[in-house]
């Protein structure tokens, strides 16, 4: 079964760092782009960025460039999203998802989501 | 960045109704558009890719059409499990933006 499994919910204080993960299985992890999507409470979907685990080619949305870092470790089929200094406004659900095709098409496999709560 | 608008932002419909949701891009995106369904507390689910291709396992009552700047998602006969929020997403240019969503609820 093709799946993406994300790390568990996190509760952090402003200024703390965080790295959440997304582990792929059931397919060739290095052959598909993996994207990250933010959903703030009660709001819509926001595309944050994407990485190709095969060569770590990464693209960011201008809205998130410099705010987060996307990385991948192909040896363990895992992609990451990290923050160096969290803000309260980072409180959201974060999803990883696989691109159906190299040129996009759609995001066909989604992780279950990781809830991040940032509060003093 | 390419902006996507969706209309309506919400609609009320009955089981069996035909429902149409529109997504408009701020510039031409060929057929590089996907549609998703999201239910509360769940991850989005891909319904349509490349504007009109039905994702495997998705019921045939869902269909997509359009190219360029104007796209449509149609549900031919609304079922109880279809009450959800629907999003479009473009894949023509980075950033791969989403539309704001259309909430479909029960009339």
């Amino acid at each position: 079964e093709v799946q993406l499994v994300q790390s568990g919910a996190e509760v952090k204080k402003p200024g703390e760092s965080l790295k959440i993960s997304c582990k792929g299985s059931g397919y060739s992890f290095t052959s598909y782009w993996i994207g990250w999507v933010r959903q703030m409470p009660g709001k819509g979907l926001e595309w944050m960025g994407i990485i190709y685990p095969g060569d770590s080619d990464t693209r960011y949305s201008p809205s998130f460039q410099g705010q987060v870092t996307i990385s991948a470790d192909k040896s363990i089929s895992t992609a990451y999203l990290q923050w160096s200094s969290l803000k309260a406004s980072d409180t959201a659900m974060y999803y990883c998802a696989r691109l159906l095709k190299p040129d996009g098409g759609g995001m066909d496999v989604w992780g279950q989501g990781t809830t991040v709560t940032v509060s003093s | 960045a390419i902006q996507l608008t969706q209309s309506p932002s919400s609609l009320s419909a009955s089981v069996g109704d035909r429902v149409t949701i529109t997504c408009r891009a701020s510039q031409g995106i060929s057929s590089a558009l996907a549609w998703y369904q999201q239910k509360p507390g769940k991850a989005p689910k891909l319904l349509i890719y490349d504007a009109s291709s039905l994702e495997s396992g998705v019921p045939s009552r869902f269909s997509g059409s359009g190219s360029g700047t104007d796209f449509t998602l149609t549900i031919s006969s609304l079922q109880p499990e279809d009450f959800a929020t629907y999003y479009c997403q473009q894949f023509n240019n980075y950033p791969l933006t989403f539309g704001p969503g259309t909430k479909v609820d029960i009339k």
Side-chain angles (χ1 to χ4, degrees):
Chain A
E1 180 192 4
V2 176
Q3 58 180 350
L4 296 172
V5 178
Q6 297 184 229
S7 49
E10 300 276 1
V11 179
K12 292 289 192 178
K13 291 181 169 26
E16 292 185 330
S17 63
L18 176 64
K19 193 173 190 177
I20 63 175
S21 66
C22 168
K23 183 173 177 62
S25 62
Y27 73 99
S28 175
F29 185 74
T30 54
S31 300
Y32 290 81
W33 291 82
I34 294 283
W36 286 94
V37 176
R38 183 175 80 174
Q39 188 165 39
M40 300 177 78
K43 301 298 184 184
L45 305 173
E46 299 174 89
W47 185 81
M48 303 176 70
I50 202 163
I51 188 165
Y52 189 74
D55 61 7
S56 292
D57 186 9
T58 308
R59 315 291 170 88
Y60 291 92
S61 166
S63 299
F64 293 93
Q65 179 89 47
Q67 308 304 309
V68 297
T69 301
I70 294 170
S71 61
D73 184 340
K74 60 185 180 182
S75 70
I76 55 171
S77 300
T78 301
Y80 301 97
L81 178 66
Q82 69 180 88
W83 295 259
S84 58
S85 180
L86 286 160
K87 308 179 189 68
S89 57
D90 293 318
T91 294
M93 176 73 83
Y94 293 87
Y95 293 103
C96 63
R98 185 185 82 162
L99 252 65
L100 177 67
K101 305 187 295 179
D103 61 348
M107 302 177 88
D108 66 333
V109 180
W110 290 70
Q112 82 277 20
T114 296
T115 300
V116 173
T117 303
V118 184
S119 174
S120 54
Chain B
I2 295 173
Q3 309 296 321
L4 297 179
T5 56
Q6 288 183 234
S7 59
S9 56
S10 65
L11 67 91
S12 295
S14 301
V15 172
D17 283 353
R18 181 181 182 89
V19 169
T20 299
I21 299 169
T22 296
C23 178
R24 176 164 288 174
S26 59
Q27 64 189 73
I29 59 170
S30 186
S31 296
L33 189 98
W35 290 97
Y36 303 90
Q37 176 193 68
Q38 188 181 32
K39 297 180 180 179
K42 299 292 188 183
K45 174 186 174 182
L46 178 65
L47 300 175
I48 301 288
Y49 64 94
D50 290 345
S52 60
S53 296
L54 191 68
E55 170 68 347
S56 176
V58 173
S60 59
R61 62 181 180 272
F62 291 93
S63 64
S65 64
S67 67
T69 59
D70 294 314
F71 301 85
T72 299
L73 173 70
T74 300
I75 309 171
S76 60
S77 178
L78 198 67
Q79 298 302 301
E81 59 269 30
D82 300 337
F83 292 97
T85 301
Y86 293 84
Y87 295 92
C88 56
Q89 183 188 20
Q90 66 83 20
F91 288 85
N92 191 69
N93 281 8
Y94 292 113
L96 306 181
T97 42
F98 287 95
T102 295
K103 185 176 181 181
V104 177
D105 61 20
I106 302 171
K107 192 178 222 177

